[in-house]
Amino acid sequence: MARYNAKTTEAKWQAAWAEAKTFEAAEDPDRSRPKYYVLEMFPYPSGRIHMGHVRNYAMGDVVARYKRARGFNVLHPMGWDAFGLPAENAALEKKVHPAKWTYENIDNMRDQLRAMGLSLDWSREFATCDVEYYRQQQKLFLDLHKNDLAYRRESWVNWDPVEHTVLANEQVIDGCGWRSGAPVERRQLSQWFFRITAFQDELLNALGDLERWPEKVRLMQANWIGRSEGARLRFTVKGREAEGQSSEIEVFTTRPDTIFGASFLALSPDHPMTAQLAAENPAVADFVAECRRLGTSEEVIEKAEKLGFDTGLRAAHPFLDDVELPIYIANFVLIDYGTGAIFGCPAHDQRDLDFARKYGLVVLPVVIPDDIDSIEFSVDKEAYVGPGSLANSQFLDGMSIEQAKSEIAGRAEAGNFGTREIMYRLRDWGVSRQRYWGCPIPMVHCEGCGVVPVAETDLPITLPDDVTFERPGNPLDDHDTWGKVACPSCGKPARRETDTLDTFVDSSWYFARFCSPRAEQPLDRTAVDYWMPVDQYIGGVEHAILHLLYARFFTRGIETCGHIGVSEPFSGLFTQGMVCHETYRDDAGNWLEPTDVDRKADGRVIRTDNGVPVNVGRSEKMSKSRKNVIDPEDIIERYGADTARWFMLSDSPPERDLEWTDGGIEGAWRFTGRIWRIIEESAGALPAPGQPVPAQFDDNALALRRLTHQAIGAVTDGIERFQFNVSVARLYELANALGSFKAGDDDTGGRWAQREAIETLVVMISPMMPHLAEEAWLTLGQSGLVANAPWPVAEPALLVEDTITIAVQLNGKMRATLEIARDQPEDEVRAAALALEKIEQAVGDKDVRRVIVVPNRIVNVVV
RNA sequence: GCCCCUGUGGCGGAAUUGGCAGACGCGAUAGAUUCAAAAUCUAUUGUCCUUAGGACGUCCCCGUUCGAGUCGGGGCAGGGGCACCA
């Protein structure tokens, strides 16, 4: 018997699918088959696929192949998220042009993906750095600009004062530039923005309709958009009226009810009044400069120690004539949220409390939990943010929080010093990047005409090839000729916009472009109207907020421009977990690769080269820095793609992290061998394909048929519910049953049932192990590809057992089981349960108080 | 700091969503086969108690219920995101 040769077999079937164009999709004008668009998040072409990709694409391929088998017209494309920082880093480190580096990486990764045997329509492939793609993106940018959805304004960036470069957050390490080591500064720059806030309500409300999205992703997005109802209150600053300076501070608060607990106001270091004060007072300027050294990330700002600067100014309390509130500048007040100024109520906000304790400010509780006396209640180290009623608040005393909020807002509106307001945390999307390897923004700066869009007929604005990465900063700024153009409006010399677009823009519409990848316009309406939205989108949960929110916005944006007819790009979303591996370090703390260590039978782990014991660390996400990576190419080379895919799908639930183990991949490998043995050993003895159902089956054959049809139900259900690990377990069971099934030569019923079971098994493993399935299909005497075979349908009669075993509990504890016919009347089940020897014994002479009978499930006897 | 998620045998996990906890896989142990090994096959495998059998058992504490891995409250631990990594 020939051993299954994964390598040659897989290559053979990959060629066969390509030859037959099995996976090339086309619109189906009469819609005889329902369409199904399944998409995995496209990869960044780093050069090699990693296990995360293998997992992601294995899952997507299961869905794609399964839906094909269920009769859907499936679109399953692939492309490359090809712009971005790593190519520029490579250019700097390896002296390779980003384009060359990127396209070589793509060639390499395409080969790797092809070796996985994915049911992809490669005819639609493109990279976002293809001129054809970014040319269309420039067209979309112009349209968004026309519709006032793209605009320009000042905003803050991380600035490296040594390299004169804008830094990405990941390039800021402990507040310093990653290359220069110089402390990073926050700086203002004029930049391009997309008006995502124009859709903030819609983006929030539409989350409710995304029923096939994980609840947690919808929640995270809702929190990100951060709609909150509150009030804008105006405070008068004492003693500044005369100087012609701004004499009012507007704060936004979600807790106007706590106004009587206010003990200070705080301005953001970037607030306009702060700037005025800094001009007057060098100490303020110093403090602001110190704050700006923190960088732009919210995480860093919120984690930093709360620092404030007392400006010496005082504001009048709007309801208390004799109270003045000190005005601070505080490093934790964000300019981008609300009005850039707050009133601090330390008793009911943790940040305010930390701040008040540090600067010795009053902490007065004004909301008292309902079960505590207001005199006894005090706030020490933890602010009280729970429910309660108002106290120490004059006319608010005794009110609920909601009543008090409304009361204050009403009085503020009546007194003309405030308004009710709904505020969003969401900020407009800054899309400008001062980098080379991105989509050029098709705009021109003219001294006379201002910012002028490039004419559509002048697109594409292509990136120049002859750039150097020696000098810090944006190479496009340094280019001799590229930036010099005639103004599209007046024709006078002008300069090109040198900012390029955030790569999140590229990934905000690629899914739509896949519908018509070669169209002359960004999107062909016939094609997008047919295919969109994506029915099932699959990718890492790390994209739960930004990428998915941007894509949802962008789709609405281009809908406004008439390019697409849907507002939601992804009707179904699945977020998969990461691939992890244990980590190894030597005694010096250096990371070791899995290939450098050996696990002995007694459990010891040693270095392969010198036998020195290794410290085994926790399993963590595979990453180059921890060296705990397994290269998919090595795995596919050694075991084949089917085995790798099978392992990715077994054991771990898809949404959870997967632990890579040698044992796991070996197990998957043995299973491919077992399937092949079952096929080879039985194929010759089976009846020909397509024989009519025999009239008689013996118990043995009937049991196999039952199991087969139950497996159909369970495997199908598992795939539908994204529980591939459960489907895999059921397939193991079916294979186990087949492995031990024996039928006599003249047992036609048994032989028929055996073929039915084997064919069912082969079709159901085909989405997971497509190559092995094709080879098995051929060996079973079938003509045509299993890729085109229909999914099996379970016979309802074979799904249910006649006799069932139900559990019998005594006071909730399992005491016995009862074999009984299905669907018996309650009385009979009760009587049968009470008559059980074990139950009779256990009950003894105690009173049976109650008997709970759950049909076909359980009986609980309560004594 | 803020938001979100996860926690079940030696390990990955299952549990029809409140009804027999541990399906299936890995590992381990014993046996068969083999000159030997690999591969394969068979059996056992949550913990504890000496056995028939029983007690305990889903991160910890408290609660709801005839009944809780599942529901509620409070903790602990690990992970993801935080707007210029993708």
Side-chain angles (χ1 to χ4, degrees):
Chain A
M1 185 169 65
R3 198 185 165 98
Y4 181 71
N5 185 326
K7 210 171 177 179
T8 53
T9 308
E10 291 185 353
K12 172 173 119 189
W13 292 108
Q14 283 160 20
W17 297 324
E19 169 84 6
K21 298 190 194 298
T22 306
F23 305 119
E24 288 190 18
E27 290 98 74
D28 188 3
D30 59 4
R31 301 196 180 232
S32 55
R33 293 177 298 166
K35 71 97 184 177
Y36 196 89
Y37 184 2
V38 53
L39 182 68
E40 301 94 63
M41 290 181 183
F42 66 164
Y44 179 80
S46 59
R48 305 188 69 78
I49 60 170
H50 55 68
M51 280 299 171
H53 293 131
V54 176
R55 194 177 189 203
N56 192 190
Y57 302 138
M59 287 180 194
D61 209 40
V62 169
V63 175
R65 288 176 181 268
Y66 165 76
K67 288 290 179 182
R68 275 176 56 81
R70 292 294 300 261
F72 288 84
N73 185 24
V74 171
L75 173 61
H76 186 209
M78 179 57 72
W80 311 96
D81 188 12
F83 275 135
L85 265 184
E88 292 196 49
N89 293 336
L92 205 59
E93 282 157 26
K94 297 176 187 143
K95 313 276 176 228
V96 212
H97 192 278
K100 184 172 186 304
W101 184 82
T102 303
Y103 280 107
E104 282 176 5
N105 284 348
I106 288 174
D107 288 342
N108 201 10
M109 285 176 77
R110 187 190 302 111
D111 287 346
Q112 293 186 316
L113 288 186
R114 282 183 187 277
M116 278 185 67
L118 303 168
S119 66
L120 291 166
D121 180 352
W122 283 104
S123 73
R124 292 171 186 259
E125 177 194 0
F126 61 78
T128 56
C129 63
D130 292 346
V131 175
E132 254 321 292
Y133 185 77
Y134 73 72
R135 164 196 187 168
Q136 304 298 343
Q137 187 162 303
Q138 288 168 342
K139 212 177 275 183
L140 293 177
F141 185 93
L142 293 177
D143 284 348
L144 291 174
H145 184 253
K146 231 177 270 169
N147 283 276
D148 194 36
L149 291 168
Y151 68 99
R152 209 170 145 76
R153 70 163 159 90
E154 296 274 297
S155 100
W156 297 94
V157 294
N158 294 311
W159 182 257
D160 187 317
V162 172
E163 297 214 318
H164 298 284
T165 307
V166 177
L167 297 177
N169 279 337
E170 69 154 12
Q171 297 174 321
V172 180
I173 295 153
D174 294 329
C176 298
W178 64 338
R179 284 197 231 275
S180 70
V184 166
E185 293 169 13
R186 216 174 331 156
R187 240 199 199 202
Q188 267 200 324
L189 223 62
S190 192
Q191 309 217 72
W192 287 98
F193 281 81
F194 283 159
R195 208 179 296 281
I196 190 171
T197 54
F199 297 98
Q200 53 197 6
D201 260 323
E202 238 191 285
L203 288 167
L204 182 64
N205 296 335
L207 287 172
D209 301 326
L210 295 174
E211 282 157 22
R212 291 192 301 116
W213 278 45
E215 189 55 41
K216 63 168 177 177
V217 174
R218 291 192 277 170
L219 233 176
M220 280 193 271
Q221 293 217 348
N223 288 335
W224 187 260
I225 295 168
R227 180 184 193 274
S228 51
E229 295 179 7
R232 183 187 286 260
L233 298 177
R234 225 165 20 251
F235 286 77
T236 305
V237 182
K238 298 233 165 170
R240 281 186 62 93
E241 299 87 343
E243 298 163 44
Q245 304 274 24
S246 57
S247 58
E248 286 184 333
I249 294 173
E250 279 198 324
V251 306
F252 174 76
T253 177
T254 56
R255 295 295 304 271
D257 53 307
T258 63
I259 185 72
F260 288 96
S263 54
F264 65 96
L265 296 190
L267 302 173
S268 161
D270 306 316
H271 192 276
M273 184 177 285
T274 307
Q276 285 179 19
L277 294 168
E280 296 162 19
N281 182 350
V284 173
D286 288 349
F287 179 75
V288 169
E290 194 188 325
C291 292
R292 287 188 181 161
R293 271 197 279 282
L294 269 180
T296 59
S297 101
E298 188 172 307
E299 184 189 1
V300 169
I301 292 169
E302 293 229 13
K303 269 192 188 157
E305 190 193 355
K306 309 275 172 290
L307 291 177
F309 183 94
D310 186 350
T311 61
L313 295 174
R314 298 292 178 263
H317 191 289
F319 297 102
L320 296 167
D321 291 340
D322 52 343
V323 172
E324 291 186 346
L325 301 173
I327 302 173
Y328 282 81
I329 298 162
N331 64 348
F332 65 93
V333 181
L334 306 169
I335 187 64
D336 289 315
Y337 182 67
T339 58
I342 60 160
F343 79 72
C345 177
H348 305 293
D349 182 288
Q350 193 59 45
R351 287 171 305 181
D352 296 351
L353 182 64
D354 296 344
F355 190 80
R357 292 295 181 214
K358 188 173 170 89
Y359 294 101
L361 299 166
V362 178
V363 178
L364 175 69
V366 290
V367 176
I368 313 295
D370 287 328
D371 50 349
I372 298 181
D373 194 280
S374 68
I375 297 157
E376 287 166 28
F377 185 70
S378 72
V379 165
D380 180 27
K381 288 199 177 82
E382 265 186 45
Y384 181 70
V385 294
S389 46
L390 275 284
N392 301 322
S393 297
Q394 300 210 347
F395 53 84
L396 298 179
D397 283 357
M399 287 188 185
S400 70
I401 292 174
E402 283 315 309
Q403 284 170 323
K405 280 180 177 174
S406 173
E407 181 67 25
I408 291 294
R411 289 189 185 226
E413 278 171 349
N416 201 27
F417 58 90
T419 50
R420 284 169 220 264
E421 186 151 325
I422 291 163
M423 196 64 81
Y424 295 84
R425 208 184 75 97
L426 183 69
R427 309 197 297 259
D428 275 338
W429 173 15
V431 294
S432 277
R433 297 292 181 269
Q434 291 70 37
R435 314 196 185 285
Y436 168 75
W437 195 233
C439 170
I441 296 176
M443 290 285 165
V444 169
H445 299 270
C446 169
E447 271 186 28
C449 312
V451 182
V452 185
V454 169
E456 259 194 37
T457 48
D458 289 341
L459 297 182
I461 308 302
T462 53
L463 289 166
D465 281 334
D466 50 334
V467 283
T468 59
F469 296 88
E470 309 300 306
R471 272 170 290 180
N474 183 353
L476 293 177
D477 282 332
D478 294 334
H479 197 275
D480 293 333
T481 54
W482 187 78
K484 293 174 185 159
V485 286
C487 171
S489 174
C490 67
K492 289 188 189 144
R495 85 198 143 72
R496 237 183 236 308
E497 172 64 68
T498 54
D499 284 355
T500 49
L501 287 173
D502 180 6
T503 55
F504 273 127
V505 180
D506 311 337
S507 54
S508 286
W509 70 287
Y510 77 103
F511 44 85
R513 181 72 181 168
F514 274 139
C515 303
S516 54
R518 315 287 172 236
E520 271 304 309
Q521 61 280 32
L523 302 171
D524 176 304
R525 277 303 293 262
T526 314
V528 274
D529 288 350
Y530 179 80
W531 291 113
M532 288 295 290
V534 174
D535 296 277
Q536 186 63 59
Y537 196 37
I538 309 170
V541 70
E542 64 273 19
H543 295 289
I545 298 176
L546 291 183
H547 161 58
L548 291 168
L549 191 63
Y550 290 153
R552 294 181 62 220
F553 154 72
F554 204 83
T555 303
R556 282 174 169 76
I558 59 177
E559 183 191 20
T560 304
C561 305
H563 290 288
I564 198 168
V566 298
S567 358
E568 285 296 339
F570 316 117
S571 59
L573 172 71
F574 186 85
T575 54
Q576 108 244 11
M578 303 176 303
V579 181
C580 299
H581 193 280
E582 38 178 37
T583 48
Y584 310 103
R585 300 175 99 149
D586 61 20
D587 283 333
N590 301 311
W591 299 105
L592 298 170
E593 286 176 27
T595 45
D596 295 338
V597 305
D598 224 3
R599 185 178 287 273
K600 292 285 168 195
D602 58 7
R604 283 182 313 126
V605 179
I606 57 163
R607 280 185 67 148
T608 314
D609 52 356
N610 59 15
V612 175
V614 163
N615 302 311
V616 180
R618 232 200 22 246
S619 178
E620 292 185 70
K621 177 182 179 172
M622 283 190 183
S623 81
K624 278 183 192 143
S625 61
R626 284 184 289 263
K627 294 199 177 174
N628 60 338
V629 289
I630 302 287
D631 191 333
E633 195 168 297
D634 296 345
I635 297 299
I636 290 171
E637 173 71 23
R638 185 155 163 203
Y639 299 100
D642 283 339
T643 298
R645 294 167 56 133
W646 182 257
F647 175 51
M648 288 283 121
L649 297 166
S650 41
D651 292 357
S652 294
E655 71 279 8
R656 287 232 224 126
D657 290 351
L658 176 142
E659 164 92 15
W660 179 277
T661 59
D662 292 345
I665 189 74
E666 287 287 341
W669 169 237
R670 279 200 297 272
F671 184 68
T672 57
R674 193 139 59 92
I675 295 290
W676 184 241
R677 235 173 297 119
I678 289 170
I679 304 294
E680 280 234 309
E681 281 169 5
S682 51
L686 295 178
Q691 298 296 307
V693 188
Q696 290 281 312
F697 294 101
D698 63 16
D699 287 352
N700 195 25
L702 194 60
L704 181 64
R705 292 206 68 206
R706 280 227 162 87
L707 193 86
T708 302
H709 285 262
Q710 284 165 1
I712 293 171
V715 171
T716 306
D717 192 51
I719 293 175
E720 290 281 355
R721 294 166 53 183
F722 265 84
Q723 290 187 304
F724 305 128
N725 55 323
V726 180
S727 294
V728 163
R730 297 287 97 85
L731 289 167
Y732 269 114
E733 277 178 343
L734 184 55
N736 288 345
L738 270 167
S740 52
F741 183 81
K742 298 275 180 296
D745 289 339
D746 50 359
D747 176 6
T748 46
R751 289 298 187 197
W752 193 92
Q754 194 178 8
R755 173 170 274 279
E756 179 188 45
I758 290 178
E759 285 189 358
T760 302
L761 179 71
V762 168
V763 175
M764 290 201 300
I765 62 168
S766 71
M768 304 173 179
M769 304 202 288
H771 313 89
L772 177 64
E774 291 290 3
E775 193 65 22
W777 199 239
L778 183 71
T779 308
L780 289 171
Q782 293 283 358
S783 56
L785 295 166
V786 75
N788 292 325
W791 194 253
V793 179
E795 287 177 27
L798 291 167
L799 287 176
V800 290
E801 305 282 353
D802 305 333
T803 315
I804 51 170
T805 310
I806 64 177
V808 182
Q809 297 181 330
L810 191 74
N811 287 342
K813 299 218 171 192
M814 239 283 282
R815 281 290 177 272
T817 56
L818 178 64
E819 294 268 326
I820 197 163
R822 159 177 290 277
D823 297 330
Q824 288 297 297
E826 232 176 78
D827 295 351
E828 282 184 35
V829 177
R830 178 184 296 127
L834 286 171
L836 285 168
E837 195 184 336
K838 278 184 188 165
I839 296 299
E840 266 189 335
Q841 271 175 20
V843 171
D845 49 6
K846 298 185 207 90
D847 280 350
V848 175
R849 281 206 287 167
R850 228 173 124 186
V851 179
I852 290 149
V853 179
V854 181
N856 299 330
R857 284 275 170 78
I858 203 165
V859 177
N860 191 10
V861 180
V862 185
V863 298

